[in-house]
Amino acid sequence: MSNKRDVVFPADRHDLYELHRYSPAVRANGFLFVSGQVGSRKDGSPEPDLKAQVRLAFANLNAILAAAGCSFDDVVDTTVFMVDPHAQFETIWEVVADYWGEAPYPNVTAVGVTWLSGFDFEIKVIAKLPE
């Protein structure tokens, strides 16, 4: 039995994966487990504008989902992290609505955190891979 992970990389991957030594996503048992995605530019730096940072996080997430042959419609579990949810939740959620799709929506856990390595928003998901 092989312990090798079935890793999914987006077509235009950014430098954070190599810098911090992690995989964007791993396929296992019919699911895709996607690492937390942030609004990082190709060089790994944060997009400074909050709405643009959230859009870029979704673009990075959607690139990984597409590389695995799925889309946000296949997402079954979502966790979002926000550095300052009290001040930023409404702004973030305006942008999230553009990507969430139609009901039924995936479940979501929203977590306030104190640090995201210079970012204000992060999203991680589990998606059901197409049969």
Side-chain angles (χ1 to χ4, degrees):
M1 176 184 269
S2 172
N3 288 338
K4 190 165 177 76
R5 293 178 180 93
D6 183 7
V7 175
V8 175
F9 282 97
D12 188 25
R13 62 191 194 188
H14 57 68
D15 291 343
L16 288 178
Y17 304 126
E18 283 76 24
L19 180 65
H20 297 293
R21 299 190 325 247
Y22 68 98
S23 295
V26 175
R27 286 186 198 96
N29 297 321
F31 290 94
L32 182 70
F33 297 85
V34 183
S35 293
Q37 296 300 302
V38 292
S40 60
R41 298 171 173 165
K42 181 143 179 61
D43 68 359
S45 66
E47 168 60 48
D49 177 76
L50 179 59
K51 285 185 176 183
Q53 187 182 126
V54 175
R55 284 187 194 97
L56 190 51
F58 271 95
N60 291 335
L61 170 63
N62 287 336
I64 294 167
L65 293 170
C70 49
S71 72
F72 198 83
D73 289 341
D74 299 302
V75 170
V76 295
D77 183 65
T78 309
T79 306
V80 297
F81 305 91
M82 297 168 274
V83 169
D84 189 358
H86 182 73
Q88 296 178 335
F89 180 82
E90 294 302 325
T91 301
I92 289 170
W93 232 245
E94 284 175 29
V95 178
V96 165
D98 293 341
Y99 296 92
W100 226 241
E102 300 297 320
Y105 307 111
N107 70 320
V108 65
T109 301
V111 181
V113 298
T114 60
W115 181 82
L116 287 174
S117 190
F119 296 90
D120 296 302
F121 173 83
E122 182 172 337
I123 180 169
K124 73 177 297 307
V125 303
I126 300 170
K128 178 78 172 89
L129 291 165
E131 304 270 329

